[in-house]
Amino acid sequence: MSSESDASVLRRSIDEPACFALLFDRHFDPLYRYLRRRLGDEPATDLAAETFLQAFRSRRSFTGEGSSVRAWLYGIAANLVRLRHRTEERRLRAYARAAAGCSAEEPEISVEDRLDAEALGPAIALALAGLAPALREVLVLHVWAELSHDEIAAALGCSTATVRTRLSRARSRLATELSQSIPREVGER
Amino acid sequence: MNELDDALGALGRALDDGFGAVAGPAAADAARRLDDAIRDEPIGSGRRRRGRRAIPRPALRGHRRVPGLLAAGLAVAIALVVLAVALVSGRHRTDRSGAVKTVLPFGSRLHPSGPTGVNAASVRLAAVVMDPEGSGPAWGLKTYRVAGDETCLQAGREEAGQIGAVGAYGSFGDDGRFHPFTFSDVGFGTCVPDDADGHAFDNVAYANAPASASGEPCQTFPQGFPSHMPARARARLRAQAHAADCRPRNQRLVAFGLLGPDATSVTYRTAHGTATTRPHGPDGAYLIVEPVDRAICGTQCTYSGGGSGTAMSLPIGLIATIAYRDAPACHGPPLTNDGLTLLRFDHCRDVDYVAPLHAAVTEADIASPVHVEPMPARFYCIHKGISRPDVLRIPCDGRVPPGYVRIRGGASQLTAYVSWIAREPVSNVNDSTYAIEVENPRRCGGGGQGLGSTQTLVRAGTRITRDVEVSRRCAGVYRGAVLYEPSLGPAGQAGTGLPEPGSRGTFLVGRFAIVVR
């Protein structure tokens, strides 16, 4: 794969549109995977394609100042996802129902065991579904898309401080939700 | 918060199920669309050069491009047939919307930490339209105010003034009965904060709503159940009585919203052209139900979502024009082959939206000493019946107090009580909050973490106490801060609109430190 930077490829694609294919090759899979996690197969297919279409059409507007092409692409995707947050919530809740169905008959589980990431699945899916879309956006961009605070800020067009605040608030709310749901399932006296 | 991130990561991997099997077709489809766009690029702006790599163009799967003339002929024929059927059967849309008061027997909780109480006097059956296929009860939109200055939109099938779902199309075991929603179930709807004048604004659209209006997630496992899902879970899901059959013919395009008191008409596209409906009630409620038709939603028929805030988000492709009494009409962009892909009508605004007034807050106004009381214990207990942020976990090394349960594995955490005086109120839990943040000791990797927020209504001048936990595994000084976040922006989707440019940020109430030895 070419070592040419994304920004350089993008700039070159203004005169040579076919160059944009290189950015597609570099970023489609992770972006699609990210969208698929959030929305499922079909919407992810559409949105990933649309993200690159919009990016291609607006490639002249990318300034490259203070943001990466990757962040720019995720920003476009975030805009597309924003109106589908109910789809995302339904998906998470359905996952939680399905996964909870698997463990409903499990015996009493300690908090340490519950903190095992797999075991937390249903609870955290529900908690994530209950988060405000703006908070969920930041959290999944950070954890699933592995964007840095600066990249998230660039993607969402807000300050890094805002990203930190929202990330903190999102984690806080998730932790609160989890702390309230888990103890009720452990031993009582 | 590493455990939390790990858990989120695991959740993401669980949601990835079968990624490898579908990435190829998705990429191929996207590549084809992008390749078309590149191909359509004007010559003068840099056409593809010889020798450059073209995006891989997959073979068309299962269908071939229909010649333009034939496609146009087919479209006209189909449109004529649909129109003829609609006219002959007399099922063409009849809007019998109107404000109808209904009796409200209770005020149920909408969600655990959210607003409670329905204002019975505010309940309106705001819009009713016939099902476009003439199947079953009409569709309705009900609006009602709830505590916390929010307005809820409840959409679904309508019968005798109630909104609900029908036992058909696979839902509710096809029992043929009407299943009314409670006020805690808004169906396809949502609840949004009112503006300063007590009006709510929102737009919601689903291109793939189950025709039963059951609201079940019919596209969650469109390709079948994930491979890792145990047989027991699959069987349970299959046995669910209200698993909607979501084949396209059993779906509807459902769009509704509140456009404000000044809106006078909504013109939208249909398979036969356009139709116009009149918004009703003080919030300008409208409801549109159409068959799922790619002529309307283009290639994006799985579109769903809602809008928010001051720049309206509308189902592009569906809405053509919104007319206002005293403001310029909002014209949607022309229908394109890209379908419902644009998100915001940047040139349209929620007419008459009045932003909630937030008194200018300064950090001097909000500052308060923050007190910290570490509560060292081997075990902590939490109330088993009340799950509210203001009901604190308590040390319980000895006997577990009545009504509490012991949290197992709490030994690795130190609980501390953090308290401060709230100088500013929280009058809407979706719109503002006091948050607690803590920075880990540098030797433990540093990094910040949120440790909770008020998530309750707060009266100005009251002392707030919340419990926070820090890890005992890493000794050092955990430096924290209490922050006041007045708003995430103007009224929006459940109060969660993204900050508008220039919106205020976070105000420091005070700092504190927790020492772990």
Side-chain angles (χ1 to χ4, degrees):
Chain A
M1 183 172 281
S2 163
S3 60
E4 185 179 3
S5 75
D6 285 346
S8 169
V9 173
L10 190 64
R11 277 193 297 273
R12 200 151 56 84
S13 75
I14 293 173
D15 292 325
E16 302 172 40
C19 294
F20 198 84
L22 189 54
L23 295 176
F24 180 90
D25 288 344
R26 288 178 182 176
H27 296 289
F28 182 84
D29 278 1
L31 184 78
Y32 170 74
R33 181 193 295 267
Y34 164 76
L35 290 170
R36 186 173 181 273
R37 280 183 177 183
R38 296 191 65 179
L39 300 169
D41 277 338
E42 203 175 331
T45 303
D46 280 338
L47 260 60
E50 188 57 29
T51 298
F52 280 91
L53 276 178
Q54 288 201 6
F56 176 73
R57 289 170 185 152
S58 58
R59 64 195 188 280
R60 291 173 184 81
S61 66
F62 177 79
T63 61
E65 292 168 3
S67 66
S68 67
V69 170
R70 188 168 78 119
W72 180 61
L73 289 170
Y74 278 90
I76 295 170
N79 279 330
L80 293 169
V81 166
R82 196 164 295 151
L83 288 188
R84 298 191 180 217
H85 65 79
R86 289 186 183 87
T87 303
E88 180 175 34
E89 288 163 12
R90 288 202 307 269
R91 174 174 162 79
L92 288 167
R93 291 198 174 101
Y95 168 80
R97 278 200 300 274
C102 312
S103 59
E105 294 169 23
E106 288 178 9
E108 187 174 284
I109 304 169
S110 72
V111 165
E112 283 95 341
D113 292 337
R114 297 284 301 192
L115 282 178
D116 170 70
E118 297 280 346
L120 263 179
I124 205 161
L126 275 182
L128 197 58
L131 271 187
L135 302 184
R136 187 167 60 234
E137 185 78 59
V138 172
L139 192 59
V140 296
L141 278 173
H142 185 61
V143 179
W144 287 352
E146 299 180 341
L147 262 57
S148 68
H149 292 181
D150 288 342
E151 283 180 314
I152 297 172
L156 301 182
C158 58
S159 70
T160 308
T162 301
V163 169
R164 285 203 189 93
T165 300
R166 285 195 216 162
L167 204 49
S168 167
R169 191 196 270 193
R171 285 169 165 155
S172 156
R173 290 192 179 170
L174 273 192
T176 303
E177 283 293 315
L178 293 175
S179 70
Q180 287 171 358
S181 61
I182 292 171
R184 287 199 295 274
E185 296 176 26
V186 302
E188 299 183 11
R189 291 192 174 187
Chain B
M1 285 286 130
N2 286 338
E3 286 169 341
L4 194 57
D5 285 1
D6 288 347
L8 277 167
L11 172 64
R13 288 189 292 279
L15 291 168
D16 279 346
D17 55 85
F19 165 72
V22 296
D29 184 55
R32 181 181 52 77
R33 292 171 60 181
L34 182 58
D35 202 21
D36 286 345
I38 292 174
R39 201 181 296 274
D40 293 341
E41 185 79 357
I43 297 289
S45 68
R47 194 82 171 138
R48 278 179 298 167
R49 304 272 171 87
R50 187 162 43 92
R52 291 284 174 199
R53 175 193 179 285
I55 294 176
R57 201 177 168 83
L60 291 176
R61 294 187 301 270
H63 64 276
R64 306 172 80 173
R65 192 178 289 253
V66 182
L69 193 58
L70 178 57
L74 275 175
V76 169
I78 290 170
L80 285 174
V81 168
V82 171
L83 182 61
V85 168
L87 290 174
V88 167
S89 61
R91 291 185 202 140
H92 207 57
R93 185 170 300 92
T94 52
D95 189 345
R96 49 185 174 95
S97 306
V100 179
K101 271 201 171 183
T102 55
V103 179
L104 183 62
F106 64 92
S108 55
R109 292 171 70 87
L110 288 163
H111 50 84
S113 59
T116 58
V118 177
N119 178 351
S122 71
V123 179
R124 288 173 189 279
L125 187 57
V128 176
V129 298
M130 302 306 288
D131 182 76
E133 304 289 347
S135 168
W139 290 77
L141 172 67
K142 185 176 278 188
T143 61
Y144 45 94
R145 281 344 195 240
V146 297
D149 295 330
E150 290 195 345
T151 293
C152 297
L153 299 85
Q154 185 185 56
R157 294 285 189 152
E158 183 270 341
E159 190 172 281
Q162 288 187 300
I163 303 296
V166 291
Y169 309 103
S171 296
F172 298 102
D174 285 327
D175 63 5
R177 298 170 60 189
F178 181 75
H179 298 260
F181 296 151
T182 66
F183 280 91
S184 59
D185 184 353
V186 292
F188 301 121
T190 185
C191 300
V192 293
D194 296 339
D195 74 351
D197 279 353
H199 295 299
F201 294 80
D202 197 22
N203 293 287
V204 179
Y206 291 93
N208 56 345
S212 63
S214 72
E216 284 301 299
C218 62
Q219 60 178 344
T220 303
F221 300 121
Q223 313 296 330
F225 294 119
S227 56
H228 72 272
M229 185 183 287
R232 194 172 52 186
R234 293 177 191 222
R236 188 168 302 186
L237 278 178
R238 283 201 189 96
Q240 279 182 348
H242 44 280
D245 176 349
C246 292
R247 281 173 290 184
R249 70 169 183 271
N250 291 339
Q251 296 181 14
R252 300 286 184 272
L253 191 158
V254 179
F256 54 92
L258 304 176
L259 296 169
D262 202 51
T264 54
S265 71
V266 179
T267 301
Y268 57 96
R269 298 182 178 94
T270 71
H272 344 287
T274 60
T276 298
T277 187
R278 187 165 62 90
H280 288 271
D283 290 324
Y286 72 94
L287 171 64
I288 296 166
V289 182
E290 287 287 321
V292 173
D293 191 326
R294 288 190 183 275
I296 298 170
C297 59
T299 58
Q300 301 284 312
C301 275
T302 55
Y303 170 97
S304 66
S308 65
T310 53
M312 282 202 296
S313 299
L314 288 166
I316 309 296
L318 177 66
I319 302 292
T321 306
I322 299 170
Y324 294 96
R325 195 171 292 110
D326 297 317
C330 154
H331 297 286
L335 197 60
T336 70
N337 289 333
D338 295 330
L340 302 176
T341 53
L342 298 176
L343 302 180
R344 295 168 82 105
F345 282 3
D346 283 334
H347 56 290
C348 295
R349 296 278 148 181
D350 282 325
V351 175
D352 278 353
Y353 172 82
V354 183
L357 292 174
H358 292 293
V361 175
T362 66
E363 292 205 341
D365 297 329
I366 204 83
S368 163
V370 178
H371 299 287
V372 178
E373 184 181 2
M375 309 295 285
R378 187 154 177 263
F379 295 109
Y380 295 97
C381 288
I382 187 168
H383 201 286
K384 65 181 177 185
I386 306 171
S387 142
R388 289 202 320 253
D390 54 339
V391 176
L392 309 177
R393 67 190 64 202
I394 59 173
C396 58
D397 285 348
R399 195 169 160 275
V400 175
Y404 279 79
V405 290
R406 176 169 284 156
I407 304 170
R408 293 187 175 187
S412 61
Q413 301 287 317
L414 170 67
T415 290
Y417 292 168
V418 176
S419 68
W420 68 96
I421 302 288
R423 306 285 182 201
E424 285 289 322
V426 173
S427 54
N428 183 332
V429 293
N430 285 320
D431 215 26
S432 59
T433 189
Y434 285 88
I436 305 171
E437 292 184 4
V438 169
E439 191 170 313
N440 296 325
R442 192 166 297 170
R443 56 183 291 273
C444 309
Q449 52 178 289
L451 286 181
S453 57
T454 47
Q455 297 185 45
T456 55
L457 300 182
V458 174
R459 202 182 298 274
T462 55
R463 174 166 290 280
I464 300 175
T465 304
R466 291 289 184 272
D467 51 17
V468 299
E469 285 182 315
V470 293
S471 174
R472 277 197 175 109
R473 291 179 180 145
C474 178
V477 179
Y478 290 76
R479 299 190 184 282
V482 176
L483 307 165
Y484 175 64
E485 299 169 8
S487 173
L488 276 177
Q493 202 66 52
T496 54
L498 292 172
E500 295 296 308
S503 67
R504 286 164 297 167
T506 296
F507 296 88
L508 176 68
V509 175
R511 298 186 187 280
F512 63 90
I514 301 171
V515 180
V516 174
R517 294 189 170 86

